[in-house]
Amino acid sequence: MKPALLILTVFIWGLTATISASQNFKTVKIGQKVWMAENLNIEVPGSWCYDNNPENCKKYGRLYTYEAALKACPKGWHLPTDKEWDELINYFGGEDVAGKELKSGVNTRFYALLGGSRIPMGSFGLIETYGCYWSSTKYDKNHAWYRYFSNTSDLVVRSYFSLNYGFSVRYVKD
């Protein structure tokens, strides 16, 4: 049986967002792109629940290495490029202010969660403090660009990190 498709279009403060649930993924259309509206929670090798606690996966999704984020990608989706992250952030006023809107989800329904991260040695940190999200764009052979949100500012920061760290994942529809 094919899953039902629910679509809701909302118009708030000049923003039109289409929210749907299909194949168990909530989505939101922002600009010309359809983004997953919540962090991915599909178990693959190289992914973890924060503190290895399944309850954290229910709220924050899983944390993925770069390679696991590529492998977990459902058909019809892709890990956003660095440029696609830029487009999303610029849609909401740029890196200095976009974090407020993308974290709150009040008008966007994006809800950038602060799910922390996992370091390669196996420990977890910064849940409810930082939300780190992979891009598909590599910085070099051992690092990739990512974006992070913090509970202390409205900034969305662009940086690069080792491919072996565990970060949250959102995908963009092909």
Side-chain angles (χ1 to χ4, degrees), residues 101-168:
E101 190 68 40
L102 292 169
K103 288 185 298 185
S104 75
V106 171
N107 298 314
T108 66
R109 305 295 189 248
F110 186 86
Y111 298 110
L113 298 173
L114 306 180
S117 62
R118 181 186 183 274
I119 65 171
M121 285 72 72
S123 63
F124 298 86
L126 304 171
I127 197 166
E128 291 294 326
T129 303
Y130 288 101
C132 304
Y133 291 87
W134 285 119
S135 86
S136 63
T137 308
K138 284 191 170 182
Y139 173 78
D140 62 23
K141 71 178 191 167
N142 297 313
H143 302 87
W145 291 105
Y146 77 104
R147 295 301 190 287
Y148 72 86
F149 300 81
S150 132
N151 68 352
T152 60
S153 78
D154 295 335
L155 291 172
V156 180
V157 178
R158 176 184 184 252
S159 190
Y160 60 89
F161 229 80
S162 169
L163 304 175
N164 295 321
Y165 273 70
F167 291 159
S168 298

Side-chain angles (χ1 to χ4, degrees), residues 28-50:
V28 58
K29 184 174 184 185
I30 300 174
Q32 298 301 310
K33 304 280 184 185
V34 176
W35 288 77
M36 283 189 177
E38 49 192 9
N39 293 353
L40 188 69
N41 185 16
I42 294 177
E43 186 174 355
V44 297
S47 72
W48 305 268
C49 296
Y50 189 92

